[in-house]
Amino acid sequence: MATATIIKERGIKPSRWLVAGIILIILAILTGVVLSTRSSRQTTTAANTTVVVGRGAIVASTSGSGSIAASQSLDLPFSANGTVADVFVKEGNHVTKGQVLAQLDTRDLALQVANAHIQLENAKLRLTQSTEGNITQETKDAQEAQVRSAEAQLASAQAQLRSAQAQLNALRNPSSNDIQAAEIAIRTAELDLQSVRDAKSVAKNRGQLDLDRAAQSLTQAQSSYSTALQNWQYVQDTGNDPINPTKADGTKSVANKLNDAQRQNYYDKFVQAESSMHNAETAVQQSQLAFNQAQQDEVISVQQAEAKLADARRRLTALQNPSKNDITRQQASVDQAKASVAQAQAGLDQARANLAKLSAPDTTSNIELQQLSIATAEQSLQQAQLKLDQATLKAPFDSIVTTINIVPGSIVSSAQAAMSLIDRSTLHVDLTLNENDVAQVALGQHVDLTIDAIDDWKAQGTIDYIAPAAKEVNGVVTYGVRVALPDSDQRVKVGMTANLVIRTAAKDGVLLVPNSTLLPKGAGRAVQVPNADGTTREVDVQIGLSDGTNTEIVNGLSEGDRVVSAPNTQQPRSPSLLP
């Protein structure tokens, strides 16, 4: 219509067909616009799937994982060195605080405690004598004897130290004289061995000869005894002379009767022969014993001489090629000798002090010295008792034995762990949180735990520690958090990996939208809301809690509103806004 009017005003006479054509063109244009708009609305509606804003509950949480650890674990060593006498537990045993786990050989330590008791009693007795004035000459003499004994002990300890030091020096730097002396000792031992063999062989042979002579003498004595016995029996039976049965005048028919003196003579010979035979038997026994002893002496003496020769050879070998173990053992001997010298010197000093105190009149300072001696003796007793106590390994807390590294007879030192313990009374998991997450947790907060290795296991722990300061690693700031959990399931082992979920906040009856509906907008968030004509418009919203799937809407929407579930920032706007 507007076009037709313009033509008429210009004085142009339009053709009826021309006007009709123009009208058709205008109608076609209007029809295309309408169809295009409808098509655009249909496309937008199809593309913009919406969700309804509703109310519900939401729980915000943070998660992490960590290894399960025991509340206490300890590698437990003996506090003293020694030889293990007994082990009273096995791996896996539950033990209580103070329970005896193992024991060292305490015989020497018990003697030290007993000696310390004696020293303490002596110190107390000396104090009593000083304060009560009942010191006697006998006590003084006894104290002087103790001084002499202490001096002798010190001299002996010093000699042992010099000898041990000399042996150590010889091991480290053997001189040609030492080696020559060792070689001479070998030759001397060889000569001694040969001399012993020769001497003992001669002694054994002499014993054999003596035994043979004794046996011959016994044979002769037995023969004489047999003759004397026969003569005496003949005299008893006949009364005649068994040697000269006829008279001296040669008469053969008349027996030579014996008088009493002659009979007594035959009896004396019989008794003498019997005694001589017994003496010969005794001599044979003694000779046999002497021969046996000579044989034994030969074996023992030769063995001893051979041992001396072997020892001399070993000493030469040690001088020429000392081993590290030999030097270590000798150094230990030197250290032990030094300790013995120090102990002997202390004993001598104490004995001299006691003697000087006896010789001087009792004074306050003397009494104080005796009191100091008592204190020193008490301290020595406490130290000895402590060493004895340290020979017993006890559990420091209720725990489970996980590892035992000792057996009876093994030698241990305080540097090695005898056994390992863990306390499962309370298990825990340590994890790290970033500064945003740690700001949402608090002590006593509940934590849900699961373990991948145990499908049906769930537990609820409690936060019992939050690090007060951060740790920064590679520019990342984290805070340590400890979660305690109950020890109620023996399937849970120390070292397993646990998954933790910490609920930081929860609300009920709040407006919720899926996280996919939210668009970033500056420092805030926005959603797309569909218009009646199928287009969308952005609406600013204020958000609250989020659980990773849904987010709380604090402001900007109302319950029942629809928002685009997956907003597209390239969607067309309303046609009225098009240019």
Side-chain angles (χ1 to χ4, degrees):
M1 292 293 292
T3 301
T5 304
I6 292 172
I7 292 174
K8 186 177 181 180
E9 289 177 351
R10 290 181 178 178
I12 300 174
K13 292 183 179 179
S15 171
R16 183 175 60 181
W17 297 107
L18 179 61
V19 173
I22 292 172
I23 292 173
L24 289 175
I25 291 172
I26 294 173
L27 290 175
I29 292 173
L30 292 176
T31 301
V33 171
V34 171
L35 291 176
S36 176
T37 301
R38 288 182 177 177
S39 175
S40 176
R41 288 179 178 176
Q42 290 174 354
T43 301
T44 301
T45 302
N48 293 332
T49 303
T50 61
V51 294
V52 178
V53 178
R55 292 188 181 274
I58 189 169
V59 176
S61 63
T62 184
S63 61
S65 64
S67 297
I68 295 177
S71 60
Q72 296 185 86
S73 61
L74 178 65
D75 291 332
L76 187 63
F78 278 100
S79 298
N81 303 337
T83 302
V84 178
D86 293 294
V87 179
F88 302 107
V89 295
K90 297 179 180 179
E91 292 182 358
N93 283 170
H94 290 260
V95 297
T96 58
K97 181 179 180 181
Q99 180 176 337
V100 177
L101 308 178
Q103 178 78 55
L104 297 180
D105 187 345
T106 60
R107 289 174 293 182
D108 182 61
L109 298 175
L111 290 176
Q112 293 180 19
V113 171
N115 184 61
H117 273 293
I118 293 173
Q119 296 299 327
L120 177 58
E121 293 302 319
N122 288 339
K124 291 180 178 178
L125 177 61
R126 288 192 295 270
L127 177 61
T128 301
Q129 291 173 344
S130 296
T131 55
E132 296 180 1
N134 60 348
I135 302 299
T136 63
Q137 185 62 39
E138 181 180 0
T139 302
K140 184 177 181 180
D141 293 341
Q143 189 60 47
E144 290 176 344
Q146 288 185 7
V147 171
R148 291 192 295 272
S149 176
E151 290 173 341
Q153 290 178 0
L154 177 60
S156 176
Q158 290 172 336
Q160 291 178 359
L161 175 59
R162 289 192 297 271
S163 176
Q165 188 64 56
Q167 293 181 24
L168 178 60
N169 294 336
L171 281 175
R172 289 175 172 169
N173 300 297
S175 64
S176 58
N177 292 335
D178 293 333
I179 294 177
Q180 184 178 7
E183 293 172 342
I184 292 173
I186 291 176
R187 290 195 292 273
T188 301
E190 290 174 342
L191 293 175
D192 290 342
L193 174 59
Q194 186 59 45
S195 176
V196 167
R197 284 174 174 168
D198 294 339
K200 295 303 178 181
S201 178
V202 169
K204 182 180 70 174
N205 292 336
R206 186 183 299 114
Q208 182 67 57
L209 290 175
D210 292 341
L211 178 60
D212 293 340
R213 291 192 191 100
Q216 291 175 0
S217 298
L218 176 60
T219 301
Q220 293 174 357
Q222 288 173 338
S223 177
S224 298
Y225 171 75
S226 177
T227 300
L229 176 61
Q230 290 177 358
N231 288 339
W232 173 239
Q233 288 178 344
Y234 182 82
V235 170
Q236 286 181 309
D237 294 337
T238 65
N240 297 327
D241 188 351
I243 299 177
N244 299 306
T246 60
K247 290 184 177 181
D249 58 359
T251 303
K252 297 181 180 180
S253 60
V254 179
N256 188 4
K257 294 292 183 179
L258 298 175
N259 56 32
D260 291 338
Q262 292 173 326
R263 288 171 61 87
Q264 184 64 38
N265 181 50
Y266 277 103
Y267 176 74
D268 291 340
K269 289 181 178 180
F270 162 72
V271 172
Q272 183 179 2
E274 184 179 33
S275 176
S276 297
M277 183 184 69
H278 290 325
N279 290 338
E281 289 174 344
T282 301
V284 168
Q285 293 175 352
Q286 292 175 346
S287 297
Q288 183 66 56
L289 291 174
F291 175 69
N292 293 340
Q293 184 63 44
Q295 285 182 315
Q296 293 178 358
D297 288 344
E298 180 183 36
V299 173
I300 294 173
S301 298
V302 169
Q303 288 177 345
Q304 291 175 344
E306 289 174 342
K308 290 181 179 179
L309 176 58
D311 184 63
R313 288 171 175 168
R314 282 193 296 270
R315 285 198 294 271
L316 177 59
T317 301
L319 285 173
Q320 294 173 336
N321 299 293
S323 67
K324 184 177 180 181
N325 290 337
D326 291 337
I327 294 176
T328 301
R329 282 195 296 270
Q330 192 59 39
Q331 182 62 58
S333 298
V334 171
D335 295 340
Q336 184 176 2
K338 289 180 179 179
S340 298
V341 168
Q343 184 176 2
Q345 183 65 55
L348 176 59
D349 293 342
Q350 184 64 49
R352 286 174 174 171
N354 293 338
L355 178 59
K357 188 174 184 179
L358 289 173
S359 303
D362 289 336
T363 62
T364 302
S365 61
N366 289 336
I367 294 177
E368 291 176 350
L369 180 61
Q370 291 295 344
Q371 292 172 339
L372 179 61
S373 297
I374 291 178
T376 302
E378 289 174 341
Q379 184 178 11
S380 298
L381 175 59
Q382 292 174 357
Q383 291 175 345
Q385 186 64 52
L386 177 61
K387 290 181 179 180
L388 180 60
D389 294 340
Q390 288 175 341
T392 301
L393 194 65
K394 297 181 179 180
F397 49 81
D398 294 351
S399 54
I400 300 173
V401 180
T402 58
T403 306
I404 296 178
N405 302 318
I406 56 173
V407 295
S410 60
I411 298 175
V412 298
S413 69
S414 57
Q416 68 184 91
M419 57 185 67
S420 299
L421 309 174
I422 62 170
D423 176 10
R424 282 181 54 104
S425 59
T426 303
L427 301 178
H428 68 267
V429 178
D430 290 330
L431 70 157
T432 58
L433 298 178
N434 60 39
E435 55 186 322
N436 292 328
D437 290 338
V438 80
Q440 306 299 319
V441 300
L443 293 175
Q445 193 168 352
H446 294 306
V447 180
D448 295 326
L449 297 99
T450 59
I451 298 177
D452 292 339
I454 307 175
D455 294 337
D456 60 344
W457 185 87
K458 292 182 180 180
Q460 188 174 78
T462 305
I463 296 176
D464 66 356
Y465 172 77
I466 300 173
K471 290 184 179 180
E472 183 174 348
V473 179
N474 297 327
V476 178
V477 175
T478 60
Y479 293 81
V481 175
R482 174 165 293 182
V483 177
L485 63 146
D487 179 22
S488 58
D489 194 331
Q490 294 302 313
R491 296 179 300 169
V492 177
K493 307 297 183 184
V494 172
M496 285 184 171
T497 301
N499 305 311
L500 301 92
V501 176
I502 306 173
R503 288 180 282 184
T504 58
K507 291 183 179 179
D508 290 327
V510 297
L511 294 179
L512 299 176
V513 296
N515 289 353
S516 62
T517 65
L518 297 174
L519 292 172
K521 187 173 183 180
R525 294 290 188 272
V527 296
Q528 289 184 350
V529 177
N531 295 316
D533 59 0
T535 60
T536 61
R537 67 180 184 277
E538 287 185 355
V539 175
D540 294 339
V541 293
Q542 181 182 352
I543 63 173
L545 298 180
S546 177
D547 61 6
T549 302
N550 297 313
T551 298
E552 174 193 8
I553 300 299
V554 178
N555 192 15
L557 294 175
S558 300
E559 184 177 3
D561 288 347
R562 286 188 173 274
V563 295
V564 177
S565 60
N568 183 357
T569 56
Q570 302 302 322
Q571 288 182 1
R573 299 179 180 179
S574 172
S576 60
L577 301 178
L578 293 175

